Amino acid sequence: MQKQLLSSLPITLLLLLSTLRSTEATIRIVIGTCHASSYLTGKSGFCTTQNDADCCQEGQLYPQYRCSPPVTANTNAIMYIGSFSQNSDGGSATACDGKFYADNETVVALSTGWFNGGSCCLKNIRINGNGNSVTAKVVDECDSVNGCTADLNYEPPCGPNAITASPAVWKELGVPETQRSELVVTWSEVLSS
């Protein structure tokens, strides 16, 4: 029975299961047709661990994504907390306007594919999660290709379906401070009238 079940699984899933048996890993469910384009070899350095930041491990392989799942009226995403203020875990100034934003501003960074070379810069998106919704401004890219460098806080590349949101976004969604690290959400573009 087990062999019959395994033979019906896609090859990529079998490879993932094989890899998981031999190493520690975190499984991220990615909905859509976006697959890792390559892998980045991690380099460690000084990593500010504010907001539960993941720090690169020397020599570990991290998947890189040049795409994101298709944007729909209710696009699935995993939201993480991050700061866009100076000297925080966000690293350098934002990609959209070269500024820093206070933690009380509702701003976000989108994965590389969704960021789409900056085409969504300074536009608003609606995020639904925890039974609430909030409008937030896109100010940065959550880089899904590059990582493990000083300007990216020595953090690994983002997943293809990631939104990094300021503490203000989490507050508006009603998530207690002690639970602000990772949340499954949906989002959509806010169309101007």
Side-chain angles (χ1 to χ4, degrees), residues 14-32:
L14 289 174
L15 291 173
L16 174 64
L17 291 172
S18 168
T19 304
L20 289 175
R21 288 183 182 171
S22 62
T23 63
E24 289 184 27
T26 300
I27 298 175
R28 300 268 188 238
I29 298 173
V30 179
I31 299 170

Side-chain angles (χ1 to χ4, degrees), residues 1-9 14:
M1 176 70 173
Q2 187 178 12
K3 284 187 178 183
Q4 183 180 18
L5 176 63
L6 288 177
S7 66
S8 66
L9 292 174
L14 289 174

Side-chain angles (χ1 to χ4, degrees), residues 129-130 132 168-177 179-180:
N130 196 42
N132 296 303
V169 171
W170 288 81
K171 182 178 180 181
E172 290 293 319
L173 291 176
V175 179
E177 283 187 46
Q179 297 174 9
R180 296 178 186 173

Side-chain angles (χ1 to χ4, degrees), residues 97-117:
D97 55 11
K99 295 181 181 179
F100 292 98
Y101 289 85
D103 286 348
N104 64 356
E105 296 181 75
T106 53
V107 294
V108 297
L110 296 179
S111 293
T112 296
W114 290 335
F115 189 71
N116 194 24

Side-chain angles (χ1 to χ4, degrees), residues 68-108:
S68 291
V71 176
T72 65
N74 286 299
T75 306
N76 292 300
I78 300 174
M79 190 173 81
Y80 302 92
I81 189 165
S83 181
F84 298 84
S85 63
Q86 196 163 10
N87 299 319
S88 69
D89 63 328
S92 56
T94 61
C96 289
D97 55 11
K99 295 181 181 179
F100 292 98
Y101 289 85
D103 286 348
N104 64 356
E105 296 181 75
T106 53
V107 294
V108 297

Side-chain angles (χ1 to χ4, degrees):
M1 176 70 173
Q2 187 178 12
K3 284 187 178 183
Q4 183 180 18
L5 176 63
L6 288 177
S7 66
S8 66
L9 292 174
I11 291 286
T12 53
L13 183 56
L14 289 174
L15 291 173
L16 174 64
L17 291 172
S18 168
T19 304
L20 289 175
R21 288 183 182 171
S22 62
T23 63
E24 289 184 27
T26 300
I27 298 175
R28 300 268 188 238
I29 298 173
V30 179
I31 299 170
T33 58
C34 184
H35 302 284
S37 57
S38 55
Y39 290 84
L40 173 74
T41 302
K43 293 180 182 175
S44 60
F46 178 74
C47 176
T48 304
T49 57
Q50 173 188 5
N51 295 318
D52 294 327
D54 288 331
C55 299
C56 291
Q57 301 297 315
E58 194 73 35
Q60 183 170 332
L61 293 179
Y62 297 99
Q64 297 172 295
Y65 297 91
R66 298 185 187 283
C67 57
S68 291
V71 176
T72 65
N74 286 299
T75 306
N76 292 300
I78 300 174
M79 190 173 81
Y80 302 92
I81 189 165
S83 181
F84 298 84
S85 63
Q86 196 163 10
N87 299 319
S88 69
D89 63 328
S92 56
T94 61
C96 289
D97 55 11
K99 295 181 181 179
F100 292 98
Y101 289 85
D103 286 348
N104 64 356
E105 296 181 75
T106 53
V107 294
V108 297
L110 296 179
S111 293
T112 296
W114 290 335
F115 189 71
N116 194 24
S119 67
C120 60
C121 273
L122 308 180
K123 293 182 180 176
N124 289 323
I125 64 170
R126 173 146 314 274
I127 301 170
N128 301 299
N130 196 42
N132 296 303
S133 69
V134 62
T135 300
K137 182 168 51 171
V138 178
V139 296
D140 208 355
E141 174 182 8
C142 188
D143 200 321
S144 303
V145 178
N146 302 297
C148 304
T149 60
D151 64 327
L152 294 171
N153 191 40
Y154 285 98
E155 291 182 60
C158 289
N161 59 340
I163 296 175
T164 301
S166 67
V169 171
W170 288 81
K171 182 178 180 181
E172 290 293 319
L173 291 176
V175 179
E177 283 187 46
T178 56
Q179 297 174 9
R180 296 178 186 173
S181 65
E182 188 174 307
L183 180 68
V184 175
V185 298
T186 61
W187 70 276
S188 60
E189 298 173 341
V190 174
L191 303 174
S192 44
S193 48

